[in-house]
Amino acid sequence: MARNTSRALSIAASVAAIGLLAPTATAYAGHRAFTPGLPGAGDRYFPDMGNGGYDAQHYSLGLKYDPGTKAIDATAKITARATQNLSRFDFDFLGPLKISKLTVDGRKASYTRTGAQELVITPDRGVPQGRVFTVDVAYSGVPKSINDPALGLSGWIATHDGAVALSQPFGSATWYPVNDTTHDKATYDFTVTVPNGLKVLANGVPAGERTQGANTTFRWVDRQPTASELVLMAIGHFDVRDTRTATGLRNITAVDPASVPAGDKTAADEFNKATADVIDWEQKLYGRFPFSATGGISVLAPDVGYSLETQTRPVYARRTAGALPSATLLSHELGHQWFGDEVTPYVWQHIWLNEGFATYSEWLYSEQHGGETAQQHFDEAYKSSSTDWSGKVADPGRDHIFDDLVYTRAAMTLHQLRRAIGDTAFFALVKAWPAQHRYGNDTTAEFTAFAQRYTHKDLRPLFQAWLYTAGKPAL
C-alpha cells in the first residue's frame, strides 16, 4: 500500500489468549476425538482474524451486483483441507449479509454468527484430519465497509458507478466468508454478473464473458496462491486495455473515466504503457514476475484516497479526477507484487517487509531514472523532522502498521543493508529472497537470518539498531 497521511493518522494476545468458543472434545465413530478449530489464527494485532483447524485451498465466488440498490446476491464455494479432526470450524464473515443456505460436502450444516466476525459452522459429522471438504454458502444483502479509527476505510466500497474491494488488512470478510489471515493463501475464481455496460476486473486473468439479456457475466481465474487481504473486485464503467509488456507479460489495465480529467482520450493507453514499463524494469531488479498477469486500476473513490497492491493488478483510488499515477507510485505498488504479494508477512507485525521494499523501490526507480539517488533519499529522511523514530520497525503496533515508521525507516534499513554488503550482494539478495520464498510467508527473523546466511556477514548490530530499537540510530 502506498502510505497516505490521512489513512495513517485516521488509520500470541496469541491463539492461547483467544477465549472464544473454547475447544471441547467430541467422540465420533471409530473412537476419534473431534474438536473445534480455533476462532483465531494467532495474530496478536488482530486476534479475531483467521481461524484454525483447516487450510483453505480454493475460493469459488459468484455474485450478481445491482448498482441501483448496491446489493449483491452471492455464493461462495470454499475448498479446504482439515488440519485436525474437526467437530466445527469458523470463517470470518462481517456485516449485515444474510445467509440463506449453508452446506458442508453437500449436506446441510448448522451455523451461528457470533463474536466480532465469527461464522461458526457445525457439520452433521466430524471432518477427519487430512480430508478435503467443501463448504457452500449462499448469501445476499448490501455489504458494508469498515472504517477503522486508526487504519481507515477498507472492505467492499461502493463507488459512483459500481464498487471496489480494498481489503487490507481485514476487509475481505465484508463480502465473502473467508479464513482472513495472511498465512492461509488460496487460489480463486470469480463469476460476476452486472448490468450491460459495466466492466468487472478481479485477480488473475479473464476466463470469458457472456451477455444474456440486460446483463453480462464476467469470469476471472487467479491460479497463484493469494492472501485474502490482496483479493480484488472492481466494478464500473472502465476503459480496459489488454496488452503485453516488452517481456511478453500480459498487462490488463483499467481506467475509470471519472478518475481522469474530462475528455482525456489518451489516459487508458498511457496508464497501460507506464505500467508495462515499470513492471519490466522491476523484473530486472527482482526477477521474473511471479504471477500470470499484471496491470492496474485507476478508480474514482472519494472516501478512499490510497493505493493498494491487490495481487496481479494494484488499485489506485483517486479522491478527485486528476493525473494518472506517477511512475514512482507505480514502482511502489508494483514492487509489492514481489514483496507483500509473492512473499507475504506471516502476521501483520512484519509489514515492514512489504512497505520497506516497496518504498525502496521508489528510491531505486528515482536513482535509475535520472532523479535523486537512494543515498540522497536516505540523507534527506535522516535529517527530516517528519521521519518517525518513535517505535520499532519490526513491531510497530496494531494501530501503526500504515505509519511512516514501516515505510521510510524500513526503506532506510534496506539502504543501510545495501551499504553494509555492497551493491552486488544486495541486488542478488533482493532477487533471491522472493524467489526462495515464492508464494509463502515471511517474518523479520527469517529475513535477517537469510541475509546473514546469504552474505556470510554478521549483520546483527545493523538489524538490532534499525529494526528492533526505537529511536534514531547513530550513523
Side-chain angles (χ1 to χ4, degrees):
M1 173 184 293
R3 178 174 55 84
N4 127 325
T5 303
S6 63
R7 180 176 175 96
L9 295 178
S10 74
I11 262 193
S14 66
V15 171
I18 301 170
L20 202 65
L21 300 174
T24 55
T26 306
Y28 286 89
H31 307 289
R32 282 195 188 120
F34 286 74
T35 55
L38 285 166
D43 190 330
R44 61 188 174 86
Y45 285 9
F46 301 99
D48 294 314
M49 286 180 65
N51 304 281
Y54 63 90
D55 171 25
Q57 298 183 335
H58 185 77
Y59 294 85
S60 184
L61 304 178
L63 64 88
K64 184 175 183 180
Y65 180 67
D66 184 339
T69 63
K70 303 191 182 305
I72 62 172
D73 189 7
T75 59
K77 185 181 188 70
I78 302 123
T79 304
R81 180 180 59 83
T83 57
Q84 68 181 66
N85 292 327
L86 279 174
S87 61
R88 71 173 183 242
F89 54 90
D90 293 15
F91 287 114
D92 302 296
F93 199 40
L94 279 163
L97 298 176
K98 293 184 178 180
I99 295 172
S100 56
K101 184 179 180 181
L102 193 153
T103 63
V104 177
D105 287 335
R107 292 185 289 269
K108 186 176 180 180
S110 61
Y111 63 90
T112 59
R113 298 181 72 174
T114 186
Q117 58 190 57
E118 304 301 319
L119 170 58
V120 186
I121 300 170
T122 305
D124 68 348
R125 64 190 70 181
V127 183
Q129 182 177 357
R131 176 171 292 175
V132 175
F133 63 99
T134 59
V135 181
D136 287 272
V137 187
Y139 56 98
S140 60
V142 179
K144 300 297 182 185
S145 58
I146 300 168
N147 199 352
D148 185 89
L151 304 179
L153 190 68
S154 65
W156 184 275
I157 300 165
T159 61
H160 63 101
D161 63 348
V164 61
L166 300 173
S167 296
Q168 194 180 86
F170 42 30
S172 285
T174 62
W175 62 284
Y176 68 99
V178 57
N179 194 24
D180 200 7
T181 174
T182 53
H183 57 263
D184 192 6
K185 296 184 178 184
T187 54
Y188 282 78
D189 68 74
F190 309 85
T191 304
V192 184
T193 300
V194 294
N196 294 341
L198 290 174
K199 304 284 181 65
V200 176
L201 293 103
N203 307 90
V205 295
E209 61 184 78
R210 182 183 65 181
T211 297
Q212 189 171 15
N215 296 305
T216 300
T217 299
F218 296 81
R219 291 197 70 244
W220 288 79
V221 176
D222 181 16
R223 297 184 179 92
Q224 285 86 35
T226 305
S228 53
E229 47 109 1
L230 301 170
V231 172
L232 164 67
M233 178 62 59
I235 300 169
H237 291 97
F238 293 108
D239 193 354
V240 178
R241 296 292 183 271
D242 186 348
T243 64
R244 298 273 174 178
T245 75
T247 60
L249 179 66
R250 193 168 183 181
N251 178 30
I252 304 171
T253 57
V255 172
D256 173 1
S259 71
V260 297
D264 188 341
K265 302 298 185 183
T266 64
D269 291 324
E270 291 174 2
F271 183 47
N272 185 267
K273 182 181 186 306
T275 298
D277 290 345
V278 170
I279 206 72
D280 281 348
W281 169 75
E282 288 187 326
Q283 288 193 89
K284 296 175 184 176
L285 283 182
Y286 304 137
R288 180 178 63 84
F289 190 72
F291 307 117
S292 53
T294 190
I297 301 171
S298 175
V299 61
L300 181 67
D303 295 329
V304 180
Y306 61 85
S307 300
L308 184 63
E309 63 270 20
T310 40
Q311 190 158 303
T312 62
R313 55 192 51 85
V315 173
Y316 306 89
R318 325 303 300 278
R319 291 191 185 278
T320 59
L324 288 165
S326 67
T328 301
L329 179 55
L330 292 174
S331 70
H332 182 109
E333 299 304 340
L334 293 169
H336 270 307
Q337 301 303 304
W338 286 268
F339 305 102
D341 294 17
E342 180 182 16
V343 187
T344 308
Y346 188 78
V347 291
W348 284 100
Q349 171 186 341
H350 308 293
I351 189 175
W352 80 272
L353 287 161
N354 292 14
E355 301 302 348
F357 274 104
T359 303
Y360 202 63
S361 296
E362 297 180 44
W363 295 6
L364 292 174
Y365 186 89
S366 170
E367 180 174 276
Q368 297 185 18
H369 291 83
E372 290 186 335
T373 65
Q375 183 64 51
Q376 288 173 316
H377 281 285
F378 177 95
D379 292 341
E380 290 171 3
Y382 193 80
K383 296 173 185 175
S384 174
S385 60
S386 64
T387 300
D388 184 358
W389 305 103
S390 62
K392 299 177 183 179
V393 174
D395 192 2
R398 185 262 190 205
D399 290 351
H400 304 287
I401 60 173
F402 300 133
D403 283 6
D404 178 71
L405 179 73
V406 297
Y407 289 74
T408 303
R409 185 170 168 187
M412 296 174 79
T413 302
L414 294 172
H415 188 68
Q416 287 296 88
L417 175 62
R418 177 183 172 184
R419 291 184 64 190
I421 66 177
D423 277 12
T424 299
F426 178 80
F427 286 107
L429 184 150
V430 298
K431 277 186 177 178
W433 168 249
Q436 293 189 27
H437 295 77
R438 180 159 292 158
Y439 310 134
N441 295 91
D442 55 7
T443 66
T444 302
E446 287 173 333
F447 176 76
T448 57
F450 177 85
Q452 294 210 135
R453 289 194 309 271
Y454 195 83
T455 61
H456 306 290
K457 287 181 177 290
D458 182 6
L459 301 168
R460 287 173 294 180
L462 185 156
F463 290 132
Q464 183 63 40
W466 285 88
L467 295 177
Y468 295 106
T469 306
K472 188 174 184 177
L475 295 181

